[in-house]
Amino acid sequence: MINVPADQGQDWNELIPKARRQIIAKINRFLQTDIEKYIETEQTASPLTIEKNTYSMHGALYGTASNSIFSAFLRHPNFLRKIAHLYFVGGSVHPGGGIPLCLASAKIVEQEMELNHG
């Protein structure tokens, strides 16, 4: 799995095969073998398929880019004041991506629910 940016109109039909070739070449160099002959099944996901299958905006796995010191503050909150009892967890909401942070996000929601609903 490699990290890629959210879909902003990139040519994924060109980028996906190029990335695949680069990944295979790197693995081959590292293992000093040709791994392609061992691949029995393969599945590719792109921001286009991720958005289609998960409704993640622009197919971003982790929400807004995390390239600046302010990015944590720009993440989607764990709840909406406009819709009671609607909570969000996962990589695209506060505090961010990765399994530990997704679990922390779920813990925040649990605490919010306890505070607001007893």
Side-chain angles (χ1 to χ4, degrees):
M1 182 171 173
I2 62 169
N3 289 327
V4 299
D7 180 45
Q8 299 295 321
Q10 298 93 322
D11 184 352
W12 296 105
N13 290 327
E14 178 186 327
L15 292 172
I16 291 170
K18 180 180 178 183
R20 183 187 185 280
R21 285 190 303 274
Q22 291 172 338
I23 292 164
I24 296 290
K26 186 172 185 172
I27 294 170
N28 286 345
R29 279 192 310 276
F30 183 78
L31 297 177
Q32 298 179 346
T33 191
D34 177 13
I35 66 157
E36 275 197 283
K37 61 185 174 190
Y38 300 108
I39 297 174
E40 293 183 17
T41 62
E42 184 173 339
Q43 183 176 356
T44 302
S46 74
L48 298 177
T49 58
I50 291 168
E51 182 174 29
K52 178 183 173 197
N53 295 332
T54 69
Y55 302 104
S56 174
M57 182 178 273
H58 303 294
L61 285 177
Y62 302 120
T64 57
S66 56
N67 303 16
S68 79
I69 58 172
F70 301 108
S71 44
F73 303 103
L74 300 174
R75 291 196 186 279
H76 194 285
N78 297 89
F79 61 93
L80 285 181
R81 295 190 196 284
K82 293 187 237 177
I83 304 173
H85 314 300
L86 175 63
Y87 296 92
F88 302 97
V89 299
S92 62
V93 299
H94 180 75
I99 297 298
L101 293 178
C102 288
L103 292 174
S105 175
K107 185 68 174 170
I108 290 168
V109 165
E110 177 189 29
Q111 292 166 351
E112 286 290 325
M113 291 175 72
E114 287 174 357
L115 286 173
N116 294 319
H117 310 296

